[in-house]
Amino acid sequence: MYTIEEIDGEERANEISRFNSLAPETFPLLKPNHLTDGHWWLVYHNEIQEPVAFAGLVEMQPFHRVGYFKRCYVMPDHVGHGLQLRLMFVREVKARELGYTQIVSECSPDSHSNHNFRRAGFEMVCPEQIWGKPGSIYWGKML
């Protein structure tokens, strides 16, 4: 019913930016290097051939070989089909291919993402230097 496609962030910058803008309270604007240096995925609903979700993976700066889950958004009509969890798994596979030793991310305390991070084998962590919004929950997974 759904197909996940890894895409070129620079070539598909308009689509990624459009998805990113659907949650402006959650997602700040992307910087150009996120698109050129990152890895991006779109999820297509097979019946309508339109993207219904997106996600990214970038290297966590300034840490070498640490991947950062840089966004994930699923259109409301497609929530509940396991797309976020599937996007976590494809990004983890890519992180391993890139030689990352760990992946990290954060989300708000009331986000359903917290459940999916647990299901994907992440553990809550307390970073020395926080980077998210106040109250964020931080997640990490050793690879």
Side-chain angles (χ1 to χ4, degrees), residues 29-60:
L29 291 176
L30 291 166
K31 296 178 182 172
N33 69 305
H34 295 145
L35 299 168
T36 57
D37 300 339
H39 302 273
W40 296 91
W41 290 263
L42 290 176
V43 178
Y44 294 88
H45 188 278
N46 293 341
E47 291 178 11
I48 59 175
Q49 293 302 311
E50 294 274 334
V52 298
F54 91 122
L57 170 71
V58 298
E59 189 167 44
M60 179 69 164

Tab-separated table of all heavy atoms in Angstrom, residues 29-60:
chain	number	residue	atom	x	y	z
A	29	LEU	N	13.166	25.986	9.694
A	29	LEU	CA	13.562	25.901	8.296
A	29	LEU	C	14.830	25.068	8.161
A	29	LEU	O	15.708	25.102	9.025
A	29	LEU	CB	13.813	27.295	7.728
A	29	LEU	CG	12.591	28.190	7.557
A	29	LEU	CD1	13.025	29.578	7.086
A	29	LEU	CD2	11.602	27.581	6.578
A	30	LEU	N	14.908	24.325	7.077
A	30	LEU	CA	16.101	23.539	6.799
A	30	LEU	C	17.183	24.428	6.200
A	30	LEU	O	16.884	25.356	5.444
A	30	LEU	CB	15.769	22.415	5.816
A	30	LEU	CG	14.882	21.314	6.374
A	30	LEU	CD1	14.347	20.447	5.250
A	30	LEU	CD2	15.645	20.467	7.369
A	31	LYS	N	18.411	24.129	6.529
A	31	LYS	CA	19.545	24.830	5.945
A	31	LYS	C	19.965	24.102	4.675
A	31	LYS	O	19.753	22.888	4.552
A	31	LYS	CB	20.698	24.876	6.944
A	31	LYS	CG	20.359	25.670	8.190
A	31	LYS	CD	21.498	25.660	9.179
A	31	LYS	CE	21.085	26.430	10.423
A	31	LYS	NZ	22.065	26.310	11.478
A	32	PRO	N	20.554	24.814	3.713
A	32	PRO	CA	20.953	24.160	2.457
A	32	PRO	C	21.836	22.925	2.658
A	32	PRO	O	21.683	21.936	1.946
A	32	PRO	CB	21.704	25.261	1.707
A	32	PRO	CG	21.106	26.533	2.218
A	32	PRO	CD	20.801	26.264	3.675
A	33	ASN	N	22.746	22.955	3.645
A	33	ASN	CA	23.615	21.789	3.839
A	33	ASN	C	22.843	20.560	4.326
A	33	ASN	O	23.288	19.436	4.124
A	33	ASN	CB	24.774	22.115	4.787
A	33	ASN	CG	24.321	22.342	6.212
A	33	ASN	OD1	23.460	23.187	6.473
A	33	ASN	ND2	24.904	21.616	7.138
A	34	HIS	N	21.680	20.745	4.961
A	34	HIS	CA	20.866	19.597	5.352
A	34	HIS	C	20.404	18.837	4.113
A	34	HIS	O	20.288	17.616	4.125
A	34	HIS	CB	19.640	20.025	6.158
A	34	HIS	CG	19.979	20.637	7.465
A	34	HIS	ND1	19.234	21.656	8.006
A	34	HIS	CD2	20.987	20.404	8.340
A	34	HIS	CE1	19.758	22.013	9.169
A	34	HIS	NE2	20.825	21.270	9.384
A	35	LEU	N	20.113	19.574	3.050
A	35	LEU	CA	19.629	18.953	1.818
A	35	LEU	C	20.768	18.332	1.021
A	35	LEU	O	20.615	17.257	0.444
A	35	LEU	CB	18.875	19.980	0.973
A	35	LEU	CG	17.646	20.566	1.682
A	35	LEU	CD1	17.121	21.769	0.923
A	35	LEU	CD2	16.577	19.516	1.858
A	36	THR	N	21.922	18.983	0.987
A	36	THR	CA	23.035	18.458	0.189
A	36	THR	C	23.802	17.362	0.908
A	36	THR	O	24.275	16.422	0.283
A	36	THR	CB	24.025	19.589	-0.197
A	36	THR	OG1	24.487	20.226	0.987
A	36	THR	CG2	23.365	20.599	-1.105
A	37	ASP	N	23.947	17.470	2.230
A	37	ASP	CA	24.739	16.506	2.987
A	37	ASP	C	23.899	15.411	3.636
A	37	ASP	O	24.450	14.429	4.119
A	37	ASP	CB	25.541	17.211	4.084
A	37	ASP	CG	26.506	18.240	3.530
A	37	ASP	OD1	26.851	18.148	2.330
A	37	ASP	OD2	26.899	19.143	4.289
A	38	GLY	N	22.592	15.595	3.687
A	38	GLY	CA	21.728	14.633	4.355
A	38	GLY	C	21.207	13.564	3.415
A	38	GLY	O	21.488	13.550	2.215
A	39	HIS	N	20.428	12.679	3.976
A	39	HIS	CA	19.765	11.597	3.242
A	39	HIS	C	18.277	11.724	3.536
A	39	HIS	O	17.880	11.932	4.690
A	39	HIS	CB	20.313	10.249	3.686
A	39	HIS	CG	21.796	10.157	3.473
A	39	HIS	ND1	22.339	9.752	2.288
A	39	HIS	CD2	22.830	10.487	4.284
A	39	HIS	CE1	23.661	9.813	2.380
A	39	HIS	NE2	23.977	10.259	3.583
A	40	TRP	N	17.455	11.603	2.490
A	40	TRP	CA	16.036	11.900	2.599
A	40	TRP	C	15.184	10.813	1.970
A	40	TRP	O	15.595	10.176	1.000
A	40	TRP	CB	15.736	13.257	1.940
A	40	TRP	CG	16.438	14.352	2.662
A	40	TRP	CD1	17.672	14.848	2.397
A	40	TRP	CD2	15.963	15.039	3.816
A	40	TRP	NE1	18.000	15.817	3.314
A	40	TRP	CE2	16.968	15.947	4.191
A	40	TRP	CE3	14.789	14.978	4.558
A	40	TRP	CZ2	16.833	16.795	5.285
A	40	TRP	CZ3	14.656	15.825	5.641
A	40	TRP	CH2	15.656	16.713	5.995
A	41	TRP	N	13.999	10.642	2.523
A	41	TRP	CA	13.055	9.648	2.028
A	41	TRP	C	11.674	10.272	1.893
A	41	TRP	O	11.274	11.109	2.711
A	41	TRP	CB	12.959	8.471	2.998
A	41	TRP	CG	14.195	7.641	3.029
A	41	TRP	CD1	14.427	6.474	2.351
A	41	TRP	CD2	15.390	7.887	3.793
A	41	TRP	NE1	15.687	6.003	2.632
A	41	TRP	CE2	16.300	6.860	3.510
A	41	TRP	CE3	15.782	8.898	4.665
A	41	TRP	CZ2	17.562	6.788	4.079
A	41	TRP	CZ3	17.048	8.844	5.231
A	41	TRP	CH2	17.924	7.789	4.932
A	42	LEU	N	10.955	9.825	0.882
A	42	LEU	CA	9.540	10.132	0.736
A	42	LEU	C	8.777	8.821	0.752
A	42	LEU	O	9.280	7.790	0.276
A	42	LEU	CB	9.255	10.853	-0.585
A	42	LEU	CG	9.756	12.286	-0.720
A	42	LEU	CD1	9.476	12.804	-2.131
A	42	LEU	CD2	9.121	13.199	0.311
A	43	VAL	N	7.584	8.865	1.302
A	43	VAL	CA	6.691	7.704	1.296
A	43	VAL	C	5.534	8.034	0.377
A	43	VAL	O	4.912	9.101	0.498
A	43	VAL	CB	6.163	7.388	2.711
A	43	VAL	CG1	5.198	6.215	2.667
A	43	VAL	CG2	7.312	7.106	3.666
A	44	TYR	N	5.254	7.120	-0.540
A	44	TYR	CA	4.158	7.286	-1.491
A	44	TYR	C	3.050	6.304	-1.173
A	44	TYR	O	3.309	5.140	-0.866
A	44	TYR	CB	4.638	7.033	-2.928
A	44	TYR	CG	5.623	8.045	-3.419
A	44	TYR	CD1	6.983	7.876	-3.195
A	44	TYR	CD2	5.194	9.182	-4.089
A	44	TYR	CE1	7.892	8.822	-3.637
A	44	TYR	CE2	6.099	10.130	-4.535
A	44	TYR	CZ	7.444	9.935	-4.301
A	44	TYR	OH	8.339	10.873	-4.738
A	45	HIS	N	1.835	6.792	-1.247
A	45	HIS	CA	0.673	5.913	-1.186
A	45	HIS	C	0.499	5.353	-2.585
A	45	HIS	O	0.395	6.102	-3.559
A	45	HIS	CB	-0.570	6.689	-0.751
A	45	HIS	CG	-1.742	5.818	-0.498
A	45	HIS	ND1	-2.546	5.357	-1.514
A	45	HIS	CD2	-2.233	5.305	0.654
A	45	HIS	CE1	-3.496	4.607	-1.000
A	45	HIS	NE2	-3.325	4.556	0.314
A	46	ASN	N	0.493	4.044	-2.717
A	46	ASN	CA	0.515	3.408	-4.036
A	46	ASN	C	-0.697	3.728	-4.903
A	46	ASN	O	-0.603	3.702	-6.125
A	46	ASN	CB	0.675	1.898	-3.896
A	46	ASN	CG	2.032	1.517	-3.328
A	46	ASN	OD1	2.975	2.306	-3.363
A	46	ASN	ND2	2.136	0.328	-2.791
A	47	GLU	N	-1.825	4.038	-4.295
A	47	GLU	CA	-3.023	4.323	-5.088
A	47	GLU	C	-3.025	5.737	-5.652
A	47	GLU	O	-3.560	5.974	-6.724
A	47	GLU	CB	-4.282	4.111	-4.246
A	47	GLU	CG	-4.522	2.650	-3.913
A	47	GLU	CD	-5.746	2.455	-3.044
A	47	GLU	OE1	-6.531	3.405	-2.860
A	47	GLU	OE2	-5.903	1.332	-2.533
A	48	ILE	N	-2.439	6.684	-4.948
A	48	ILE	CA	-2.507	8.069	-5.413
A	48	ILE	C	-1.169	8.591	-5.952
A	48	ILE	O	-1.130	9.645	-6.560
A	48	ILE	CB	-3.024	9.014	-4.305
A	48	ILE	CG1	-2.116	8.969	-3.067
A	48	ILE	CG2	-4.452	8.710	-3.950
A	48	ILE	CD1	-2.480	9.962	-1.987
A	49	GLN	N	-0.078	7.836	-5.731
A	49	GLN	CA	1.251	8.213	-6.218
A	49	GLN	C	1.668	9.626	-5.803
A	49	GLN	O	2.348	10.326	-6.539
A	49	GLN	CB	1.338	8.051	-7.741
A	49	GLN	CG	1.264	6.618	-8.193
A	49	GLN	CD	2.370	5.759	-7.579
A	49	GLN	OE1	3.522	6.117	-7.609
A	49	GLN	NE2	2.000	4.638	-6.997
A	50	GLU	N	1.210	10.033	-4.646
A	50	GLU	CA	1.598	11.330	-4.074
A	50	GLU	C	2.364	11.056	-2.783
A	50	GLU	O	2.022	10.139	-2.042
A	50	GLU	CB	0.352	12.157	-3.727
A	50	GLU	CG	-0.467	12.572	-4.914
A	50	GLU	CD	0.034	13.859	-5.526
A	50	GLU	OE1	0.645	14.661	-4.807
A	50	GLU	OE2	-0.185	14.039	-6.729
A	51	PRO	N	3.386	11.850	-2.484
A	51	PRO	CA	4.080	11.662	-1.211
A	51	PRO	C	3.148	11.967	-0.036
A	51	PRO	O	2.411	12.943	-0.068
A	51	PRO	CB	5.236	12.654	-1.260
A	51	PRO	CG	5.227	13.280	-2.596
A	51	PRO	CD	3.972	12.913	-3.286
A	52	VAL	N	3.201	11.095	0.965
A	52	VAL	CA	2.350	11.265	2.144
A	52	VAL	C	3.172	11.369	3.430
A	52	VAL	O	2.623	11.585	4.504
A	52	VAL	CB	1.318	10.121	2.261
A	52	VAL	CG1	0.382	10.123	1.057
A	52	VAL	CG2	1.990	8.772	2.425
A	53	ALA	N	4.502	11.211	3.313
A	53	ALA	CA	5.375	11.310	4.486
A	53	ALA	C	6.794	11.581	4.006
A	53	ALA	O	7.129	11.304	2.854
A	53	ALA	CB	5.332	10.023	5.299
A	54	PHE	N	7.598	12.122	4.909
A	54	PHE	CA	9.012	12.321	4.606
A	54	PHE	C	9.836	12.155	5.869
A	54	PHE	O	9.312	12.211	6.982
A	54	PHE	CB	9.253	13.685	3.963
A	54	PHE	CG	9.572	14.812	4.922
A	54	PHE	CD1	10.756	15.518	4.795
A	54	PHE	CD2	8.690	15.186	5.922
A	54	PHE	CE1	11.060	16.579	5.656
A	54	PHE	CE2	8.978	16.244	6.785
A	54	PHE	CZ	10.171	16.936	6.651
A	55	ALA	N	11.132	11.929	5.692
A	55	ALA	CA	12.050	11.822	6.818
A	55	ALA	C	13.468	12.058	6.321
A	55	ALA	O	13.760	11.861	5.141
A	55	ALA	CB	11.950	10.446	7.468
A	56	GLY	N	14.335	12.464	7.253
A	56	GLY	CA	15.724	12.721	6.906
A	56	GLY	C	16.690	12.160	7.932
A	56	GLY	O	16.324	11.839	9.062
A	57	LEU	N	17.936	12.043	7.501
A	57	LEU	CA	19.045	11.599	8.336
A	57	LEU	C	20.244	12.461	7.978
A	57	LEU	O	20.589	12.580	6.796
A	57	LEU	CB	19.360	10.121	8.058
A	57	LEU	CG	20.639	9.553	8.665
A	57	LEU	CD1	20.513	9.408	10.180
A	57	LEU	CD2	20.974	8.208	8.030
A	58	VAL	N	20.854	13.070	8.973
A	58	VAL	CA	22.066	13.870	8.759
A	58	VAL	C	23.098	13.449	9.804
A	58	VAL	O	22.767	12.805	10.794
A	58	VAL	CB	21.796	15.389	8.854
A	58	VAL	CG1	20.817	15.844	7.789
A	58	VAL	CG2	21.303	15.778	10.232
A	59	GLU	N	24.342	13.834	9.568
A	59	GLU	CA	25.354	13.597	10.587
A	59	GLU	C	25.162	14.637	11.693
A	59	GLU	O	24.956	15.811	11.420
A	59	GLU	CB	26.758	13.690	9.995
A	59	GLU	CG	27.818	13.246	10.977
A	59	GLU	CD	29.175	13.029	10.322
A	59	GLU	OE1	29.585	13.873	9.499
A	59	GLU	OE2	29.808	12.016	10.639
A	60	MET	N	25.216	14.187	12.925
A	60	MET	CA	25.043	15.070	14.087
A	60	MET	C	26.324	15.865	14.285
A	60	MET	O	27.368	15.297	14.576
A	60	MET	CB	24.727	14.233	15.333
A	60	MET	CG	24.559	15.033	16.590
A	60	MET	SD	23.075	16.004	16.515
A	60	MET	CE	22.871	16.445	18.211
